[in-house]
Amino acid sequence: MTQPANTIPRAYDAGAVEERIYQDWWDSGYFVPRANPSRTPFCIVMPPPNVTGELHLGHALTASLQDALTRWHRMCGDPTLWLPGKDHAGIATQWVVERALAEEGTNRHDLGREAFEERVWQWVDLYGNTIDAQHRRLGASCDWSRLRFTLDQGPARAVRTTFVNLFEKGLIYRHERIINWCPRCATALSDLEVDYEERDGKLYYIRYPLANNPDDFVTVATTRPESMLGDTGVAVHPDDERYQGKVGQMVMLPIVGREIPVVGDTAIEMEFGTGALKVTPGHDVVDFEIGERHGLPIVNVIGFDGCMTDAAGPRYSGMERFATRSAVADELEQLGLLERVEDYHHSVGQCQRCSEVVEPLISLQWFLNVGTHTKPDSIAGRAHAAVVNGDIEIVPERFGRVYLNWLENIRDWCVSRQLWWGHRIPVWYCGDCGAFAAHVDDPDACASCGSPNIEQENDVLDTWFSSGLWPHSTLGWPDDASDDLDHFYPNSVLETGYDILFFWVARMIMLGIENTGDVPFRSVYLHGMVLDAEGQKMSKTRGNTLDPLDLLAQYGTDALRFALTTGTAPGNNLRLSTDKLESARNFANKIWNAARFVITAVEGRDDLAGWSDPITPQHREDRWIIGRLDALTVAVNERLAEFELGEAQQRLYDFIWNDFCDWYIEMAKVRLRSGDATAAATLVHVLERSLRLLHPFMPFVTEEIWQNLVARVPAPASGLPPSIMIAEYPQADSMRAAPDAESEMDVVMQTIRAVRNMRAQFRIPAGQKLEAAIETNGMQSVVEQESEAISVLARVEPLTVLHAAESENPAGVSLVVNPLVVRLPLTGIVDLDVESQRLGKELDDVRRNEARVQQLLANDNFVSKARPEVVEKERDRLQGLSEQRQRIEEIMAQLSA
RNA sequence: GGGCGGUUAGCUCAGAUGGUUAGAGCGUCUGCUUUACACGCAGAAGGCCGGGGGUUCGAGUCCCUCACCGCCCA
């Protein structure tokens, strides 16, 4: 691990260190929360991935963010728990296994329920640990000893307890109602599990003759003519003049020959089609509601298998629904009742899992009565209030409005699924007395009549019912004596993608409050979707997915994590490109090499004592970099507290690359060469603190460097922890702010930049030293003390420091870096005319600026209304500008003399 | 139909409570084996912050409006 400095590889090799480091962390028990009564516990539960899933970039993103937050809190000393878990993912997993069965030429019905469930468990045993291993490769510092599965005994008990409580309150009920049905999956779906897709279709205009006057008719428009077999009414808007006198009359339903009423309903859009809507309460949600309002009967013409039922009449009974569509259209055509057919683009609901067109139909299902947001005691009402009154903070804020909007339109949740994989609904029916009841523990006999002839409900619960309990079911609820529940509930943060705000986040809030009386978490942090370089959603069918494991291998884990979480704001989608990955990898390598330099430079020195806390450095450069470090420390902690991880990382990147590497290290080299030992301790200090600050985002490279570094420097009296991941997260020391060093170094750096600029402009080779003289104008000691740095970094030699009164021959170039004037002779390269022109242009710029600031300060409104410090800043600026102008004017006067 | 985003450098994106001359990465151009790093160093070019209106001493930032792109819900 610790090798001689000169054998540290020139490039950071992520693959060579990551596995070993992760193993060390885990073996050392760092992922398990450490008690600390004086600190607030921090807890995140991992959104449980599908148990048979494979890690994709969405997981990589969510894990990177959660791990960063977790590591930050852990380093801050908070008892920290990141609890991992997996979801049985009912319909998704069942679908995968059924597909495998289909390839073997069999199906679940041939197998039977028990054998099928066993088959799924085998599948879980085979693939269920894949994603855990993949999370470990990402560096996820979650406590694997607390790993939970939604079907584990604890969470299962939580599911049953919740169900029984709600059942006994009468909030879970069984009812026959119109629901979304997937004929292929043969199960009910919740509203959320239906995706709508725009498709090309037809709009059929069908004539329904009046019962008492077959010459007159009402024309209805529909995209689904097959459903007309189940029509039980026609609805028009009561104000629609075209249908005055029709409301209350009966029309004759073609083909079927049923008389159905024309009703008036204000929900009808007069502009759509003919303004007359055929009402099929059995197969359309809107129609179902219209039917309820007008007492229309329900006729089910489409069955669970997607074929027509006997109620569709002998001709169509048993026919597949889409075949029926064209057959019905043909028959209507023959009857002369098909007025016309138009092309029509409309959205069609399809099963989220298998893409089959969803059929709304009436079915006996279990529902959770969530109430409405206006009822403060209802489930929806309390979930609404929690966000309105700030018990839960949603980041970014705009998603709070989306959440509330959804709750304000919520309907009862259909929680039963006709699947075999999942939590079987804990209700038992009595074969003798017909009673049924919900039980936490399997009963032996009917609770009403005592008969042993009881049978459990066949349906299972919606997967989201169990994941909705996740923040408390994983911590031991409903066990009252659970320490974890006491410590870590409510969770601190729930971090997930905005795409499951309704599915999951809202359900957790509803069920968490219901079960515990408290919110499940204080904050919700929502991230965006990972898109490809073209901004397209990644999907297997599109073939544009990137495998995070490939990227890990190619760029390193830290680079992938950094690329995924930098340069993006909370809740915004992110395009991932190789550019970003390369840039992040280069950054890891940059730190690696900076560390390589520092380690080489300080190795074997005996003057490093106190490096860990150089509270009052003496040297200007040290005071400057430490002031910058402290400003960074404040900023990073603040940004993290606001969940602005991208900003925090941007600051770290800028500081490490620009301030530390490009300036401080380069200047420190000068001092080290000339025997000034004081730079060494600061180098170590700043590097070490930067590593700590960066560790939550780039855990591996920082650990590897840290180990290498601390092995070679004297340990502070207070000692050092064995790993950076349990080192203290830096907090700023306000005593170290150094505004004078900041402004002085600013002048020094500007001077160096100005000379470099001239060198580039006049093509002076890097190897060629330039003679220079600096008029110090009040900054004599600064220039003298920094003269070596200026000389080396700007490549000027000899460098003459002129006293304020001395004036130099203005031949050559004069650079005005207020208050300094740098004279570069540049004989033979720059003549008088060129220099006059250059200075003239500079003078114009300065004058323009000066005039603008003057104008601003002449504005009484500004001076009286702007904050005093803003006005003061402008005054300072004006002074600087006019000094600069005068200096340029003087030089120009000398030139023309 | 309702709601929410986005529109900033050639490309991809950051820009907290309004306050200098708006930033980064990549790309482009000029130089450079300067003994940590070419996954690098130095320098440079490139922006009426989508259009219009308003509030304000002051607007990329707040308000209104229009246009285009995208997402969610019905």
Side-chain angles (χ1 to χ4, degrees), chain A residues 342-577:
Chain A
E342 289 175 354
D343 286 334
Y344 189 62
H345 199 64
H346 63 128
S347 78
V348 176
Q350 51 186 45
C351 173
Q352 194 173 61
R353 198 51 50 189
C354 77
S355 299
E356 179 78 3
V357 173
V358 162
E359 190 62 52
L361 44 75
I362 308 285
S363 166
L364 186 59
Q365 301 287 348
W366 290 91
F367 293 88
L368 173 61
N369 175 356
V370 293
T372 68
H373 75 285
T374 50
K375 289 190 186 144
D377 292 333
S378 72
I379 291 175
R382 281 180 292 173
H384 192 268
V387 169
V388 169
N389 65 24
D391 290 344
I392 296 175
E393 170 206 30
I394 297 185
V395 180
E397 211 181 349
R398 64 175 185 273
F399 285 107
R401 293 192 289 275
V402 177
Y403 166 88
L404 294 176
N405 194 272
W406 182 75
L407 273 180
E408 284 157 17
N409 296 291
I410 196 172
R411 298 174 188 220
D412 284 1
W413 173 16
C414 176
V415 294
S416 49
R417 296 290 179 277
Q418 287 65 52
L419 303 171
W420 289 348
W421 178 243
H423 293 277
R424 196 162 170 177
I425 289 177
V427 165
W428 279 261
Y429 302 94
C430 178
D432 291 329
C433 75
F436 61 95
H439 302 275
V440 172
D441 297 308
D442 290 8
D444 299 322
C446 172
S448 299
C449 72
S451 160
N453 181 21
I454 55 171
E455 205 175 326
Q456 188 175 359
E457 165 67 55
N458 278 317
D459 291 355
V460 301
L461 286 163
D462 182 358
T463 284
W464 299 102
F465 191 92
S466 54
S467 31
L469 310 176
W470 206 231
H472 56 287
S473 69
T474 50
L475 295 173
W477 188 91
D479 180 3
D480 286 339
S482 163
D483 286 345
D484 274 2
L485 197 63
D486 288 345
H487 265 87
F488 297 118
Y489 192 91
N491 303 167
S492 315
V493 183
L494 187 282
E495 197 287 330
T496 192
Y498 65 71
D499 55 331
I500 51 174
L501 176 60
F502 306 142
F503 273 115
W504 191 41
V505 180
R507 265 79 175 263
M508 284 188 288
I509 297 176
M510 293 193 289
L511 294 175
I513 296 173
E514 169 66 24
N515 279 346
T516 71
D518 203 348
V519 294
F521 27 70
R522 301 291 177 208
S523 304
V524 176
Y525 173 85
L526 297 169
H527 64 251
M529 304 295 112
V530 184
L531 310 175
D532 71 9
E534 273 72 52
Q536 296 290 311
K537 206 170 168 182
M538 288 191 187
S539 74
K540 281 184 187 161
T541 46
R542 272 205 190 89
N544 61 347
T545 53
L546 289 171
D547 185 346
L549 297 177
D550 292 344
L551 301 178
L552 276 174
Q554 200 179 343
Y555 299 98
T557 298
D558 293 330
L560 175 63
R561 290 172 54 133
F562 198 82
L564 281 171
T565 55
T566 309
T568 176
N572 285 3
N573 292 344
L574 159 102
R575 296 191 192 193
L576 187 65
S577 60

Side-chain angles (χ1 to χ4, degrees), chain A residues 54 91-92 96 113 155 175 203 354 366 542 571 662 719 785 836:
Chain A
E54 298 238 6
I91 191 168
V96 169
R113 185 162 189 157
H175 195 68
L203 191 60
C354 77
W366 290 91
R542 272 205 190 89
D662 289 348
Q785 285 156 16
S836 300

